[in-house]
Amino acid sequence: MESFRDGWAFQGTSFMVCQTLLFVAAWKGVDFYVSRHGPIARARKFTLLNSWIYSAASFALMILIASPSLEKTARGLYHASKFWEYVDVLGVRAGGGLIDLHFAFHHLTTPYLSYVRVILHSDGWRVLAILNTLHHGLMYAYFGGAGLLRPALEVTGTAQLVVGIGGEAWMLWKRLGKADEVVWPHAVGLGLLSAYLVLWVRDVRKRRQQHVGDGVQNQLSTKEE
């Protein structure tokens, strides 16, 4: 599939580096303020509203991605959506929340993953993008307050990463040893998706352990009463 790096303003290499530096500067600025003055008023309400908007946008984008005739637009908007996720980091920190390793690494690197595997080299991009937008649609609805979606997130989150890793590994294997084939984009995709999977499984295990611990604590409290 074609590369259209120069077709959108936010798809150049220089822009990618500059936007990361600006995001980190904004993040550090918010962190500096909150650490000294406390959470910013209404930041949490803003983050909840943003979650619902992003959820709806993710489902709309999923439908767009599934339309082959609109592929170029879908690729550009999918890449752009990864910058929108920066708002989530800033909003959570502004509301007094902490940014853990998974949250930070994921949001810092996904724009580069979409840049390499959607903008520059898009072979096989659609399947993972559909699964990813589905997961984000559900996840941000959960962040917005739809707690019943929690069990589904473990399924969609794991599925998108396993499918993505399998796809990248297969395409990498198929192209290895062929002089006219480009393999580095698949190596980048495989590496980042594998890192996401490790962090994702780590978080799932921590949540399950916390859930078990909370259950034991509740039982002890009931017995004491």
Side-chain angles (χ1 to χ4, degrees), residues 58 68 86 167 170 179 186 200-201:
S58 294
Y86 289 164
W170 179 76
H186 303 296
W200 172 256
V201 171

Side-chain angles (χ1 to χ4, degrees), residues 21-116:
L21 295 176
L22 289 173
F23 167 59
V24 171
W27 179 4
K28 291 301 180 182
V30 172
D31 180 68
F32 180 84
Y33 180 91
V34 172
S35 64
R36 283 158 179 75
H37 304 286
I40 298 174
R42 299 184 180 179
R44 293 180 182 177
K45 290 184 178 180
F46 170 79
T47 302
L48 287 176
L49 176 61
N50 178 69
S51 294
W52 281 112
I53 295 173
Y54 192 83
S55 174
S58 294
F59 287 124
L61 184 55
M62 180 179 68
I63 295 172
L64 184 66
I65 292 170
S67 305
S69 61
L70 299 172
E71 179 176 333
K72 187 171 182 177
T73 299
R75 285 164 63 189
L77 291 178
Y78 179 75
H79 179 51
S81 72
K82 300 308 172 186
F83 303 119
W84 188 352
E85 293 182 19
Y86 289 164
V87 176
D88 195 34
V89 174
L90 299 178
V92 169
R93 188 66 193 110
L98 299 177
I99 309 301
D100 64 12
L101 175 62
H102 186 187
F103 199 14
F105 180 75
H106 178 273
H107 283 61
L108 278 170
T109 57
T110 48
Y112 290 92
L113 177 60
S114 63
Y115 178 62
V116 171

Side-chain angles (χ1 to χ4, degrees), residues 120-140:
L120 298 184
H121 300 274
S122 60
D123 288 350
W125 79 283
R126 183 174 282 111
V127 173
L128 179 58
I130 289 175
L131 291 174
N132 183 247
T133 48
L134 171 62
H135 176 65
H136 278 77
L138 296 174
M139 181 172 65
Y140 277 88

Side-chain angles (χ1 to χ4, degrees), residues 139-155:
M139 181 172 65
Y140 277 88
Y142 170 77
F143 290 160
L148 293 176
L149 294 175
R150 163 51 67 186
L153 295 181
E154 290 192 10
V155 176

